[in-house]
Amino acid sequence: MATKVEVPLARRITPASLAKAADVNRIWATKAVERGLVNVDALDGEDVIVVRVFAMADQIVWPGERRSRSAPRDVAIWQSVVIGAARDALNDPALGPDTLLWLMPNDVRITRSMAEALVVLTEIGGLCAVRVPIGAWVQELPTGFELPAMPAPASRLAP
């Protein structure tokens, strides 16, 4: 008699599991799906970071800008640029723990090292900017959400 071998089912990433992995409220994953920033049929680890970046960017109110937190709004053009830059950084072979995304009212920049970050800080001077530590966030991804572009931290490699 043959023995039955159980094969684990592939893990399906849902908006709820995406929100949990991103450590944000489920509403952010739902908004990201509704606004077309992530495709619910093809969610992966990259989308965890995208949802986290979106949740942060959507809450930014730049100096001189007024808006109601409760008023419904579409994705601002700069937020689409931010999401595109985040995806570019996540697919960059130079992605590492020091990779940062710099959000500014009229610019988005990616730095891959502390030296590059210092250059950006020097250039922006007293301008308002938000630093997003996407490299560190990638290292915090739960098992099953890892990105192929960045090696797993040493703690994940240990048996």
Side-chain angles (χ1 to χ4, degrees):
M1 184 167 132
T3 59
K4 183 178 179 183
V5 177
E6 288 192 36
V7 177
L9 295 174
R11 181 172 156 194
R12 173 147 163 69
I13 300 174
T14 63
S17 64
L18 181 67
K20 183 176 180 177
D23 196 25
V24 298
N25 188 302
R26 182 187 276 179
I27 192 72
W28 292 110
T30 302
K31 282 183 180 183
V33 169
E34 288 171 354
R35 295 177 184 183
L37 301 175
V38 296
N39 180 349
V40 75
D41 295 326
L43 295 175
D44 60 17
E46 181 179 310
D47 293 316
V48 173
I49 304 300
V50 166
V51 166
R52 210 166 171 185
V53 169
F54 168 64
M56 178 180 272
D58 194 54
Q59 296 179 70
I60 295 172
V61 179
W62 297 111
E65 180 183 301
R66 294 182 159 262
R67 71 170 193 217
S68 168
R69 289 178 51 100
S70 62
R73 59 189 177 277
D74 292 329
V75 176
I77 292 172
W78 79 270
Q79 289 174 334
S80 296
V81 171
V82 166
I83 298 304
R87 287 195 184 276
D88 289 347
L90 293 170
N91 289 295
D92 185 343
L95 174 68
D98 294 331
T99 299
L100 300 171
L101 192 63
W102 296 85
L103 312 182
M104 293 165 267
N106 60 354
D107 197 7
V108 178
R109 299 209 194 157
I110 301 166
T111 59
R112 292 159 194 86
S113 68
M114 287 302 132
E116 287 181 12
L118 287 172
V119 170
V120 168
L121 281 171
T122 302
E123 290 174 358
I124 64 174
L127 296 176
C128 186
V130 176
R131 179 186 58 87
V132 181
I134 59 174
W137 287 355
V138 168
Q139 287 191 308
E140 297 170 0
L141 286 171
T143 303
F145 291 93
E146 297 88 354
L147 295 176
M150 189 162 145
S155 62
R156 285 202 188 135
L157 297 176

